[in-house]
Amino acid sequence: MIERDAVRDFYDEYYSALDDVRLDEWPGLFTEACIYRVIPRENYEEGYTLSTIYAESRGMLVDRVMGLTRTQMYAPRSYRRFPGPLRIVARDDAGVQVRHNLLMVQTLIDKQTEIVLSAVCHDVVVVDDGRLRLRQRIVVFDSEMLPNSLIYPA
């Protein structure tokens, strides 16, 4: 059984890697076969699968990181993520289902900080190869639209 403190430590690692722009570490926080979706709330609640961002393997997440770090051009910015309290909504021998709110802000060097994402995350955390990893992460954002500037993972 996965302990609550271990889940908290995992999320500390997850958000630290992203906020510190250690993007090459991000895919390793997922199982090889995984689901990562960023989806509007309306689509999620209606059961539609159409997502703004979608990946179904660690390899697809690696490709996303490569695209972000090697091919795309955009103004320098920093992101900070503010996760709400973690709620373990279910657990079994295979893992835990975790739900938490997420607020994400960005700051461009010459502009005010702005909110780019208000969402709830529906995650499944499992033990994989001796460590905790995400088997599923569904980020359900509240607005119908995301800013074009949401280029980094949530």
Side-chain angles (χ1 to χ4, degrees):
M1 193 70 76
I2 299 172
E3 297 295 324
R4 186 173 190 74
D5 285 343
V7 172
R8 285 189 185 128
D9 289 347
F10 170 79
Y11 279 100
D12 287 347
E13 177 185 0
Y14 182 92
Y15 287 117
S16 175
L18 291 177
D19 284 350
D20 295 343
V21 196
R22 298 189 322 266
L23 297 179
D24 288 342
E25 296 176 20
W26 179 64
L29 298 170
F30 289 82
T31 59
E32 187 61 44
C34 62
I35 296 293
Y36 175 78
R37 294 171 48 201
V38 178
I39 183 171
R41 181 171 37 148
E42 181 180 7
N43 285 7
Y44 181 79
E45 289 176 352
E46 293 296 325
Y48 302 138
T49 57
L50 182 62
S51 302
T52 305
I53 301 171
Y54 179 82
E56 59 187 19
S57 71
R58 186 184 303 155
M60 290 178 77
L61 299 176
V62 169
D63 288 347
R64 180 159 182 78
V65 169
M66 287 181 63
L68 289 171
T69 59
R70 295 187 176 93
T71 63
Q72 293 188 357
M73 299 294 291
Y74 44 85
R77 66 195 69 223
S78 62
Y79 285 102
R80 295 283 173 243
R81 292 152 189 87
F82 300 92
L86 302 174
R87 290 171 287 186
I88 295 177
V89 295
R91 67 170 72 220
D92 59 28
D93 292 337
V96 294
Q97 292 179 25
V98 180
R99 181 178 171 178
H100 67 283
N101 294 332
L102 179 63
L103 184 68
M104 189 170 161
V105 301
Q106 79 172 348
T107 306
L108 278 75
I109 207 161
D110 60 343
K111 300 208 186 234
Q112 294 269 338
T113 299
E114 66 178 337
I115 296 171
V116 294
L117 181 73
S118 171
V120 62
C121 301
H122 301 270
D123 300 336
V124 177
V125 179
V126 299
V127 177
D128 177 59
D129 200 23
R131 63 177 287 194
L132 294 186
R133 296 183 205 269
L134 286 162
R135 183 175 65 210
Q136 174 180 283
R137 180 167 181 84
I138 301 174
V139 180
V140 181
F141 59 93
D142 295 323
S143 175
E144 289 183 9
M145 297 186 60
L146 282 176
N148 289 339
S149 59
L150 184 62
I151 54 179
Y152 283 106

